[in-house]
Amino acid sequence: MNEPYHYWLVRYVPDIARGERVNIAVIVGRDSGDWAIRSAPNLKRASRLGGDAQALRPWLESLERSVRDYEHPPLALFAAVNPETVSRAWLSLLSHRFNNILQLSDPVPVDGPSAEEAAEFLYSALVATPDARPRSKTRTRLVQNLNDLYLRTGSLALGESLLRRPRAIVGKQRGRFDFAVVDHRVDQLSHAFAFDVKDTELLEQELQSWNFVMTRLRDDGARLLAGQESHLAQADVPVSVVFQEPPSGADSRARDVFDAALDAWATLGVDAVPGSEMGRIAVEARDLVHN
């Protein structure tokens, strides 16, 4: 029986303290032979996290060359004096060396007819930059305005009592909130939805996903992750949604999605707040933290 394949993700981590990372390459192989690597053709997306990811290009090219030369040895005239022996042990050594802004994940088993085909699949799923989706400018404005109100009216400190985009983990479910207000515990969660979008189907999918995470949170509570910090949110934590309703003249489908969202939020104990009244979310946060 052939030895199973494993894969390793090469990650860019510009700020170790914050822990944010982006996958920039995937390596697939097995010690009995057959290795492949796929790398991102450009690192602009990675650089959005901070720093200059392009500085890692020589390291990536070195990895690519090691795998390529191992699989397809060059003529003796052009071969390196001490060519790399690509193996799990070699990658384990690299994972200890690459433990700063460039990191190598632990190996994970993967099925595939060949290393090349497995690498192609994993690259598409875990590394390739997804097609950009048009986002609602109104939602962006709602989030920014709520952020400003938290800082001014709520007197909160960003990164301390106010967390941006924390991840919520409930069992095996994953989701996000736009904001978490924390003191010694999670005092409030909030999120924004804008219904003045062209792609109503995509919005409905996002609502269903978010509402499902909220359902689980109301049952079991959740663990929030923001950088290296972890906070527990109780099942009865106050949750607010600031929204922009569909514009006048919107089709019936958009109105149906909006009405269904309001109904679901009421069932889940979510305070639905029009964008024009979002100031009261910040006032509530101030009272929760400072009282």
Side-chain angles (χ1 to χ4, degrees):
M1 182 175 178
N2 287 332
E3 180 186 352
Y5 289 104
H6 285 76
Y7 74 88
W8 293 254
L9 291 169
V10 182
R11 294 165 170 162
Y12 172 60
V13 188
D15 188 326
I16 304 299
R18 288 167 55 190
E20 294 177 332
R21 62 195 183 188
V22 61
N23 300 331
I24 58 175
V26 61
I27 302 170
V28 178
R30 57 191 180 191
D31 280 346
S32 58
D34 192 14
W35 290 84
I37 182 171
R38 281 293 312 271
S39 302
N42 71 69
L43 301 175
K44 291 181 179 179
R45 176 188 172 210
S47 293
R48 292 174 192 158
L49 291 182
D52 180 12
Q54 292 293 344
L56 299 180
R57 180 58 65 190
W59 290 95
L60 281 181
E61 291 175 351
S62 177
L63 280 173
E64 292 169 347
R65 186 165 54 250
S66 294
V67 173
R68 183 182 64 247
D69 290 353
Y70 180 76
E71 283 298 299
H72 308 285
L75 295 174
L77 178 63
F78 303 104
V81 176
N82 296 305
E84 300 283 5
T85 299
V86 179
S87 65
R88 291 187 63 177
W90 176 68
L91 287 168
S92 178
L93 178 62
L94 287 182
S95 71
H96 292 292
R97 291 172 53 196
F98 296 165
N99 198 27
N100 198 352
I101 64 170
L102 187 66
Q103 296 183 3
L104 204 62
S105 72
D106 292 333
V108 178
V110 61
D111 290 326
S114 69
E116 189 67 39
E117 290 181 67
E120 188 69 29
F121 170 77
L122 291 167
Y123 176 84
S124 299
L126 302 176
V127 180
T129 303
D131 294 335
R133 291 177 175 177
R135 303 296 296 175
S136 167
K137 293 182 179 179
T138 303
R139 183 186 127 74
T140 300
R141 175 174 52 79
L142 290 174
V143 172
Q144 186 57 56
N145 288 348
L146 184 55
N147 180 88
D148 294 343
L149 285 167
Y150 272 132
L151 300 180
R152 288 198 319 268
T153 304
S155 301
L156 304 180
L158 189 61
E160 297 178 12
S161 52
L162 180 65
L163 305 180
R164 285 286 305 266
R165 298 287 291 164
R167 287 182 292 155
I169 300 176
V170 190
K172 294 185 178 180
Q173 304 303 319
R174 303 290 187 272
R176 280 193 185 272
F177 290 88
D178 285 322
F179 298 98
V181 176
V182 300
D183 190 6
H184 300 297
R185 62 178 184 176
V186 178
D187 293 305
Q188 184 198 73
L189 297 170
S190 59
H191 201 73
F193 283 102
F195 292 82
D196 58 343
V197 296
K198 294 181 179 180
D199 194 341
T200 306
E201 183 176 351
L202 176 59
L203 174 61
E204 186 175 32
Q205 292 172 359
E206 292 176 348
L207 282 162
Q208 290 172 346
S209 176
W210 191 84
N211 288 344
F212 180 69
V213 171
M214 269 301 309
T215 300
R216 294 296 311 277
L217 184 151
R218 287 306 190 210
D219 290 337
D220 306 314
R223 184 161 59 97
L224 298 184
L225 299 179
Q228 299 298 311
E229 297 183 24
S230 177
H231 303 269
L232 293 179
Q234 300 297 321
D236 60 352
V237 62
V239 180
S240 296
V241 162
V242 57
F243 66 85
Q244 176 65 50
E245 63 181 283
S248 59
D251 59 29
S252 59
R253 178 62 178 151
R255 179 59 59 175
D256 288 344
V257 170
F258 176 61
D259 290 342
L262 292 179
D263 183 63
W265 295 336
T267 301
L268 292 168
V270 172
D271 185 20
V273 180
S276 59
E277 301 175 18
M278 70 170 72
R280 63 184 174 87
I281 298 176
V283 171
E284 178 190 72
R286 180 191 62 199
D287 293 344
L288 288 168
V289 171
H290 299 292
N291 287 345

